[in-house]
PDB file of all heavy atoms in Angstrom:
ATOM      1  N   ALA A   1       2.105  16.736  -6.040  1.00 70.00           N
ATOM      2  CA  ALA A   1       1.535  15.504  -6.564  1.00 70.00           C
ATOM      3  C   ALA A   1       2.243  14.277  -5.997  1.00 70.00           C
ATOM      4  O   ALA A   1       1.636  13.252  -5.699  1.00 70.00           O
ATOM      5  CB  ALA A   1       1.597  15.517  -8.067  1.00 70.00           C
ATOM      6  N   ALA A   2       3.559  14.353  -5.902  1.00 73.00           N
ATOM      7  CA  ALA A   2       4.337  13.211  -5.352  1.00 73.00           C
ATOM      8  C   ALA A   2       3.944  12.933  -3.887  1.00 73.00           C
ATOM      9  O   ALA A   2       3.780  11.760  -3.478  1.00 73.00           O
ATOM     10  CB  ALA A   2       5.818  13.485  -5.452  1.00 73.00           C
ATOM     11  N   ILE A   3       3.774  14.000  -3.097  1.00 79.00           N
ATOM     12  CA  ILE A   3       3.394  13.827  -1.703  1.00 79.00           C
ATOM     13  C   ILE A   3       2.012  13.118  -1.594  1.00 79.00           C
ATOM     14  O   ILE A   3       1.803  12.205  -0.791  1.00 79.00           O
ATOM     15  CB  ILE A   3       3.425  15.117  -0.971  1.00 79.00           C
ATOM     16  CG1 ILE A   3       4.882  15.645  -0.898  1.00 79.00           C
ATOM     17  CG2 ILE A   3       2.817  15.047   0.393  1.00 79.00           C
ATOM     18  CD1 ILE A   3       4.974  17.067  -0.387  1.00 79.00           C
ATOM     19  N   ALA A   4       1.117  13.612  -2.453  1.00 70.00           N
ATOM     20  CA  ALA A   4      -0.271  13.029  -2.407  1.00 70.00           C
ATOM     21  C   ALA A   4      -0.245  11.549  -2.833  1.00 70.00           C
ATOM     22  O   ALA A   4      -0.928  10.728  -2.222  1.00 70.00           O
ATOM     23  CB  ALA A   4      -1.175  13.810  -3.373  1.00 70.00           C
ATOM     24  N   ARG A   5       0.518  11.207  -3.857  1.00 76.00           N
ATOM     25  CA  ARG A   5       0.566   9.803  -4.271  1.00 76.00           C
ATOM     26  C   ARG A   5       1.178   8.919  -3.171  1.00 76.00           C
ATOM     27  O   ARG A   5       0.743   7.808  -2.952  1.00 76.00           O
ATOM     28  CB  ARG A   5       1.367   9.703  -5.564  1.00 76.00           C
ATOM     29  CG  ARG A   5       0.631  10.223  -6.758  1.00 76.00           C
ATOM     30  CD  ARG A   5       1.318   9.713  -8.046  1.00 76.00           C
ATOM     31  NE  ARG A   5       2.706  10.208  -8.157  1.00 76.00           N
ATOM     32  CZ  ARG A   5       3.077  11.366  -8.609  1.00 76.00           C
ATOM     33  NH1 ARG A   5       2.145  12.188  -9.095  1.00 76.00           N
ATOM     34  NH2 ARG A   5       4.330  11.711  -8.680  1.00 76.00           N
ATOM     35  N   ALA A   6       2.217   9.386  -2.559  1.00 75.00           N
ATOM     36  CA  ALA A   6       2.887   8.594  -1.505  1.00 75.00           C
ATOM     37  C   ALA A   6       1.948   8.280  -0.349  1.00 75.00           C
ATOM     38  O   ALA A   6       1.881   7.145   0.153  1.00 75.00           O
ATOM     39  CB  ALA A   6       4.118   9.357  -0.993  1.00 75.00           C
ATOM     40  N   LYS A   7       1.235   9.300   0.116  1.00 74.00           N
ATOM     41  CA  LYS A   7       0.296   9.061   1.253  1.00 74.00           C
ATOM     42  C   LYS A   7      -0.850   8.166   0.862  1.00 74.00           C
ATOM     43  O   LYS A   7      -1.352   7.379   1.651  1.00 74.00           O
ATOM     44  CB  LYS A   7      -0.171  10.399   1.736  1.00 74.00           C
ATOM     45  CG  LYS A   7       0.958  11.195   2.387  1.00 74.00           C
ATOM     46  CD  LYS A   7       0.504  12.372   3.205  1.00 74.00           C
ATOM     47  CE  LYS A   7       1.669  13.013   3.874  1.00 74.00           C
ATOM     48  NZ  LYS A   7       1.244  14.077   4.794  1.00 74.00           N
ATOM     49  N   ALA A   8      -1.332   8.332  -0.373  1.00 68.00           N
ATOM     50  CA  ALA A   8      -2.436   7.453  -0.798  1.00 68.00           C
ATOM     51  C   ALA A   8      -2.004   5.995  -0.840  1.00 68.00           C
ATOM     52  O   ALA A   8      -2.744   5.073  -0.457  1.00 68.00           O
ATOM     53  CB  ALA A   8      -2.953   7.922  -2.153  1.00 68.00           C
ATOM     54  N   LYS A   9      -0.832   5.727  -1.434  1.00 72.00           N
ATOM     55  CA  LYS A   9      -0.337   4.384  -1.486  1.00 72.00           C
ATOM     56  C   LYS A   9      -0.089   3.805  -0.110  1.00 72.00           C
ATOM     57  O   LYS A   9      -0.280   2.591   0.177  1.00 72.00           O
ATOM     58  CB  LYS A   9       0.934   4.360  -2.361  1.00 72.00           C
ATOM     59  CG  LYS A   9       0.704   4.642  -3.795  1.00 72.00           C
ATOM     60  CD  LYS A   9       1.981   4.638  -4.577  1.00 72.00           C
ATOM     61  CE  LYS A   9       1.707   4.981  -6.029  1.00 72.00           C
ATOM     62  NZ  LYS A   9       2.938   5.000  -6.814  1.00 72.00           N
ATOM     63  N   LYS A  10       0.423   4.629   0.817  1.00 73.00           N
ATOM     64  CA  LYS A  10       0.649   4.153   2.170  1.00 73.00           C
ATOM     65  C   LYS A  10      -0.616   3.762   2.855  1.00 73.00           C
ATOM     66  O   LYS A  10      -0.720   2.720   3.526  1.00 73.00           O
ATOM     67  CB  LYS A  10       1.355   5.234   2.961  1.00 73.00           C
ATOM     68  CG  LYS A  10       1.770   4.819   4.358  1.00 73.00           C
ATOM     69  CD  LYS A  10       2.581   5.935   5.037  1.00 73.00           C
ATOM     70  CE  LYS A  10       3.021   5.473   6.429  1.00 73.00           C
ATOM     71  NZ  LYS A  10       3.759   6.544   7.136  1.00 73.00           N
ATOM     72  N   ALA A  11      -1.683   4.534   2.635  1.00 64.00           N
ATOM     73  CA  ALA A  11      -2.976   4.177   3.233  1.00 64.00           C
ATOM     74  C   ALA A  11      -3.568   2.904   2.638  1.00 64.00           C
ATOM     75  O   ALA A  11      -4.127   2.073   3.346  1.00 64.00           O
ATOM     76  CB  ALA A  11      -3.925   5.332   3.018  1.00 64.00           C
ATOM     77  N   ALA A  12      -3.374   2.722   1.333  1.00 63.00           N
ATOM     78  CA  ALA A  12      -3.877   1.526   0.665  1.00 63.00           C
ATOM     79  C   ALA A  12      -3.146   0.309   1.151  1.00 63.00           C
ATOM     80  O   ALA A  12      -3.660  -0.804   1.325  1.00 63.00           O
ATOM     81  CB  ALA A  12      -3.769   1.632  -0.827  1.00 63.00           C
ATOM     82  N   GLN A  13      -1.816   0.470   1.413  1.00 67.00           N
ATOM     83  CA  GLN A  13      -0.980  -0.652   1.853  1.00 67.00           C
ATOM     84  C   GLN A  13      -1.430  -1.132   3.236  1.00 67.00           C
ATOM     85  O   GLN A  13      -1.420  -2.319   3.551  1.00 67.00           O
ATOM     86  CB  GLN A  13       0.470  -0.199   1.878  1.00 67.00           C
ATOM     87  CG  GLN A  13       1.441  -1.295   2.337  1.00 67.00           C
ATOM     88  CD  GLN A  13       2.899  -0.785   2.337  1.00 67.00           C
ATOM     89  OE1 GLN A  13       3.068   0.370   2.030  1.00 67.00           O
ATOM     90  NE2 GLN A  13       3.810  -1.630   2.696  1.00 67.00           N
ATOM     91  N   GLN A  14      -1.818  -0.235   4.110  1.00 61.00           N
ATOM     92  CA  GLN A  14      -2.266  -0.551   5.457  1.00 61.00           C
ATOM     93  C   GLN A  14      -3.529  -1.399   5.486  1.00 61.00           C
ATOM     94  O   GLN A  14      -3.775  -2.137   6.409  1.00 61.00           O
ATOM     95  CB  GLN A  14      -2.397   0.684   6.308  1.00 61.00           C
ATOM     96  CG  GLN A  14      -1.030   1.391   6.577  1.00 61.00           C
ATOM     97  CD  GLN A  14      -1.231   2.711   7.272  1.00 61.00           C
ATOM     98  OE1 GLN A  14      -2.345   3.111   7.476  1.00 61.00           O
ATOM     99  NE2 GLN A  14      -0.105   3.364   7.629  1.00 61.00           N
ATOM    100  N   THR A  15      -4.382  -1.247   4.485  1.00 50.00           N
ATOM    101  CA  THR A  15      -5.670  -1.922   4.475  1.00 50.00           C
ATOM    102  C   THR A  15      -5.632  -3.300   3.831  1.00 50.00           C
ATOM    103  O   THR A  15      -6.596  -4.020   3.867  1.00 50.00           O
ATOM    104  CB  THR A  15      -6.684  -1.059   3.720  1.00 50.00           C
ATOM    105  OG1 THR A  15      -6.246  -0.872   2.401  1.00 50.00           O
ATOM    106  CG2 THR A  15      -6.905   0.290   4.430  1.00 50.00           C
ATOM    107  N   GLN A  16      -4.566  -3.662   3.147  1.00 50.00           N
ATOM    108  CA  GLN A  16      -4.466  -4.976   2.502  1.00 50.00           C
ATOM    109  C   GLN A  16      -4.267  -6.069   3.556  1.00 50.00           C
ATOM    110  O   GLN A  16      -3.746  -5.888   4.643  1.00 50.00           O
ATOM    111  CB  GLN A  16      -3.322  -4.945   1.498  1.00 50.00           C
ATOM    112  CG  GLN A  16      -3.602  -4.086   0.276  1.00 50.00           C
ATOM    113  CD  GLN A  16      -2.459  -4.103  -0.689  1.00 50.00           C
ATOM    114  OE1 GLN A  16      -1.414  -4.758  -0.367  1.00 50.00           O
ATOM    115  NE2 GLN A  16      -2.643  -3.474  -1.837  1.00 50.00           N
ATOM    116  N   THR A  17      -4.615  -7.300   3.205  1.00 38.00           N
ATOM    117  CA  THR A  17      -4.385  -8.464   4.074  1.00 38.00           C
ATOM    118  C   THR A  17      -2.946  -8.907   4.072  1.00 38.00           C
ATOM    119  O   THR A  17      -2.254  -8.676   3.052  1.00 38.00           O
ATOM    120  CB  THR A  17      -5.268  -9.669   3.587  1.00 38.00           C
ATOM    121  OG1 THR A  17      -4.906  -9.931   2.270  1.00 38.00           O
ATOM    122  CG2 THR A  17      -6.724  -9.312   3.697  1.00 38.00           C
ATOM    123  N   VAL A  18      -2.512  -9.613   5.138  1.00 37.00           N
ATOM    124  CA  VAL A  18      -1.114  -9.970   5.299  1.00 37.00           C
ATOM    125  C   VAL A  18      -0.736 -11.141   4.380  1.00 37.00           C
ATOM    126  O   VAL A  18       0.401 -11.249   3.933  1.00 37.00           O
ATOM    127  CB  VAL A  18      -0.742 -10.268   6.754  1.00 37.00           C
ATOM    128  CG1 VAL A  18       0.705 -10.674   6.949  1.00 37.00           C
ATOM    129  CG2 VAL A  18      -1.123  -9.102   7.638  1.00 37.00           C
ATOM    130  N   ASP A  19      -1.713 -12.113   4.164  1.00 40.00           N
ATOM    131  CA  ASP A  19      -1.379 -13.319   3.442  1.00 40.00           C
ATOM    132  C   ASP A  19      -1.419 -13.190   1.937  1.00 40.00           C
ATOM    133  O   ASP A  19      -1.223 -14.114   1.172  1.00 40.00           O
ATOM    134  CB  ASP A  19      -2.377 -14.439   3.811  1.00 40.00           C
ATOM    135  CG  ASP A  19      -3.802 -14.004   3.594  1.00 40.00           C
ATOM    136  OD1 ASP A  19      -4.026 -12.767   3.408  1.00 40.00           O
ATOM    137  OD2 ASP A  19      -4.670 -14.871   3.623  1.00 40.00           O
ATOM    138  N   THR A  20      -1.699 -12.018   1.413  1.00 42.00           N
ATOM    139  CA  THR A  20      -1.738 -11.848  -0.040  1.00 42.00           C
ATOM    140  C   THR A  20      -0.353 -11.539  -0.568  1.00 42.00           C
ATOM    141  O   THR A  20       0.259 -10.582  -0.122  1.00 42.00           O
ATOM    142  CB  THR A  20      -2.690 -10.732  -0.377  1.00 42.00           C
ATOM    143  OG1 THR A  20      -3.972 -10.993   0.146  1.00 42.00           O
ATOM    144  CG2 THR A  20      -2.827 -10.561  -1.914  1.00 42.00           C
ATOM    145  N   PRO A  21       0.143 -12.323  -1.594  1.00 41.00           N
ATOM    146  CA  PRO A  21       1.483 -11.977  -2.093  1.00 41.00           C
ATOM    147  C   PRO A  21       1.554 -10.621  -2.754  1.00 41.00           C
ATOM    148  O   PRO A  21       2.584  -9.938  -2.713  1.00 41.00           O
ATOM    149  CB  PRO A  21       1.760 -13.119  -3.144  1.00 41.00           C
ATOM    150  CG  PRO A  21       0.831 -14.213  -2.759  1.00 41.00           C
ATOM    151  CD  PRO A  21      -0.387 -13.561  -2.148  1.00 41.00           C
ATOM    152  N   LEU A  22       0.389 -10.225  -3.282  1.00 38.00           N
ATOM    153  CA  LEU A  22       0.406  -8.891  -3.957  1.00 38.00           C
ATOM    154  C   LEU A  22       0.605  -7.778  -2.947  1.00 38.00           C
ATOM    155  O   LEU A  22       1.183  -6.721  -3.233  1.00 38.00           O
ATOM    156  CB  LEU A  22      -0.916  -8.709  -4.712  1.00 38.00           C
ATOM    157  CG  LEU A  22      -1.051  -7.366  -5.481  1.00 38.00           C
ATOM    158  CD1 LEU A  22       0.040  -7.297  -6.556  1.00 38.00           C
ATOM    159  CD2 LEU A  22      -2.452  -7.288  -6.074  1.00 38.00           C
ATOM    160  N   THR A  23       0.165  -8.028  -1.719  1.00 40.00           N
ATOM    161  CA  THR A  23       0.269  -6.977  -0.702  1.00 40.00           C
ATOM    162  C   THR A  23       1.713  -6.653  -0.415  1.00 40.00           C
ATOM    163  O   THR A  23       2.114  -5.479  -0.271  1.00 40.00           O
ATOM    164  CB  THR A  23      -0.498  -7.355   0.540  1.00 40.00           C
ATOM    165  OG1 THR A  23      -1.812  -7.701   0.222  1.00 40.00           O
ATOM    166  CG2 THR A  23      -0.503  -6.255   1.597  1.00 40.00           C
ATOM    167  N   GLU A  24       2.518  -7.726  -0.208  1.00 39.00           N
ATOM    168  CA  GLU A  24       3.933  -7.459   0.058  1.00 39.00           C
ATOM    169  C   GLU A  24       4.628  -6.730  -1.051  1.00 39.00           C
ATOM    170  O   GLU A  24       5.361  -5.759  -0.871  1.00 39.00           O
ATOM    171  CB  GLU A  24       4.640  -8.798   0.302  1.00 39.00           C
ATOM    172  CG  GLU A  24       4.233  -9.515   1.582  1.00 39.00           C
ATOM    173  CD  GLU A  24       4.943 -10.839   1.769  1.00 39.00           C
ATOM    174  OE1 GLU A  24       5.890 -11.086   0.986  1.00 39.00           O
ATOM    175  OE2 GLU A  24       4.605 -11.551   2.693  1.00 39.00           O
ATOM    176  N   GLN A  25       4.279  -7.209  -2.269  1.00 41.00           N
ATOM    177  CA  GLN A  25       4.892  -6.560  -3.413  1.00 41.00           C
ATOM    178  C   GLN A  25       4.466  -5.096  -3.519  1.00 41.00           C
ATOM    179  O   GLN A  25       5.304  -4.186  -3.710  1.00 41.00           O
ATOM    180  CB  GLN A  25       4.509  -7.260  -4.689  1.00 41.00           C
ATOM    181  CG  GLN A  25       5.072  -6.610  -5.952  1.00 41.00           C
ATOM    182  CD  GLN A  25       4.518  -7.320  -7.210  1.00 41.00           C
ATOM    183  OE1 GLN A  25       3.793  -8.333  -7.060  1.00 41.00           O
ATOM    184  NE2 GLN A  25       4.892  -6.861  -8.347  1.00 41.00           N
TER     185      GLN A  25
END
């Protein structure tokens, strides 16, 4: 479960825009 969550979050992080403060966080 931990491996699956990590990869899902990594994929979501790559699709976010650079100028959004939430993305960095």
